[in-house]
């Protein structure tokens, strides 16, 4: 089945630094990928839709200059958390859509990246 | 995008059948219903997807009534390893909004 690889799985950084998270679709091409954020004991919150070759579409309340998304190829999307602060500490999860046998899109998720900002 | 409502939590015992119902009153004609499972500190994992009536795979069944305003995920004979959060989502084109999910706790 479809596999999405996300890296790194854990990252700890100092306040003010930038962190890049990679999301790769390993065995299929994904023109669209999605980035989610999840706080402890809460549901996933959609941050943005990453479109190959064009600008990402951000959800309301998500700062596009804070969370830079680059979808340079059909198999790779990156999320860069710029000038990270402790409140950016969270679990970031990417996903890519693959067409199921029923004809609808099925999201395959990466394993997630735990960001801790000191 | 259709909003979904699920019970916040459920308890069960090993070997029992568990049914989790999700209501989605404003589901659109083209929307599919998809269920995901999530363990702590992991990405969600696809369980099953359906459009109408009943769908069954090796891990679960999905029951969808004719009006499609709700759906029920059925997990046969749960084990301790089925303890997780289960999410019901509706949509068609990939942009899916997660509700609160149902936290299932399976006890020995």
């Amino acid at each position: 089945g479809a596999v999405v690889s996300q890296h790194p799985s854990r990252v700890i950084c100092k306040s003010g630094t930038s962190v890049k998270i990679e999301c790769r679709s390993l065995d299929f091409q994904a023109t669209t990928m999605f980035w989610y954020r999840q706080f402890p004991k809460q549901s996933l919150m959609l941050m943005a839709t990453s479109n190959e070759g064009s600008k990402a579409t951000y959800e309301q309340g998500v700062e596009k200059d804070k969370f830079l998304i680059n979808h340079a190829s059909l198999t790779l999307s990156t999320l860069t958390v710029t000038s990270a602060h402790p409140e950016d500490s969270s679990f970031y999860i990417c996903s890519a859509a693959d067409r199921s046998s029923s004809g609808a899109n099925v999201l395959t998720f990466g394993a997630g990246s735990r960001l801790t900002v000191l | 995008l259709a909003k979904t409502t699920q019970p916040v939590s459920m308890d069960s015992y090993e070997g029992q059948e568990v049914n989790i119902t999700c209501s989605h009153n404003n589901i659109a004609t083209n929307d599919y219903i998809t269920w995901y499972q999530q363990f702590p500190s992991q990405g969600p994992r696809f369980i099953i997807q359906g459009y109408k009536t009943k769908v069954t795979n090796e891990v679960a069944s999905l029951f969808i009534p004719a009006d499609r305003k709700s759906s029920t995920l059925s997990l046969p004979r749960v084990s301790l390893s089925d303890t997780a959060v289960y999410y019901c989502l509706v949509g068609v084109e990939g942009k899916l909004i997660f509700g609160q999910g149902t936290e299932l706790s399976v006890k020995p």
Side-chain angles (χ1 to χ4, degrees):
Chain A
V3 177
V4 172
S5 174
Q6 192 172 337
H7 177 81
S9 58
R10 291 177 181 272
V11 58
I12 300 173
C13 69
K14 293 182 179 180
S15 185
T17 60
S18 294
V19 174
K20 180 185 285 187
I21 300 170
E22 292 188 349
C23 180
R24 295 179 184 272
S25 57
L26 295 187
D27 49 2
F28 66 103
Q29 294 182 333
T31 56
T32 304
M33 292 186 177
F34 302 91
W35 287 95
Y36 293 83
R37 180 176 185 176
Q38 187 175 34
F39 292 107
K41 294 293 185 180
Q42 294 188 21
S43 185
L44 285 78
M45 183 192 77
L46 179 64
M47 298 175 66
T49 302
S50 173
N51 305 297
E52 188 268 336
S54 64
K55 292 182 178 180
T57 305
Y58 290 82
E59 295 300 305
Q60 189 174 7
V62 178
E63 300 176 58
K64 61 180 181 180
D65 295 328
K66 174 75 171 177
F67 300 99
L68 300 179
I69 292 172
N70 186 359
H71 195 151
S73 76
L74 288 172
T75 59
L76 173 64
S77 176
T78 60
L79 168 68
T80 301
V81 183
T82 62
S83 186
H85 292 283
E87 59 265 30
D88 298 323
S89 297
S90 189
F91 191 53
Y92 293 88
I93 312 170
C94 71
S95 70
D98 191 22
R99 188 73 64 175
S100 72
S101 58
S102 62
N105 281 324
V106 171
L107 290 182
T108 299
F109 288 84
S113 300
R114 174 77 59 194
L115 171 63
T116 302
V117 184
L118 303 177
Chain B
L1 293 169
K3 179 182 177 181
T4 60
T5 303
Q6 303 173 233
V8 174
S9 63
M10 294 181 70
D11 290 332
S12 181
Y13 291 94
E14 281 191 291
Q16 288 186 331
E17 177 185 82
V18 171
N19 296 308
I20 306 175
T21 297
C22 175
S23 54
H24 26 80
N25 292 320
N26 59 338
I27 187 170
T29 303
N30 294 334
D31 284 345
Y32 280 74
I33 300 158
T34 312
W35 285 79
Y36 291 85
Q37 175 193 56
Q38 187 183 27
F39 298 112
S41 296
Q42 294 186 28
R45 184 175 72 99
F46 171 83
I47 301 174
I48 197 167
Q49 182 183 74
Y51 183 79
K52 61 180 180 180
T53 62
K54 177 184 175 182
V55 180
T56 298
N57 62 21
E58 62 274 11
V59 297
S61 294
L62 179 60
F63 298 92
I64 305 169
D67 66 5
R68 304 200 328 121
K69 293 184 182 298
S70 67
S71 60
T72 299
L73 173 71
S74 180
L75 304 172
R77 301 178 60 81
V78 295
S79 63
L80 296 176
S81 62
D82 292 318
T83 294
V85 178
Y86 293 82
Y87 294 98
C88 154
L89 292 89
V90 298
V92 64
E93 288 304 320
K95 178 178 176 178
L96 300 177
I97 304 299
F98 281 77
Q100 284 305 108
T102 298
E103 186 170 6
L104 173 65
S105 177
V106 180
K107 303 175 182 179

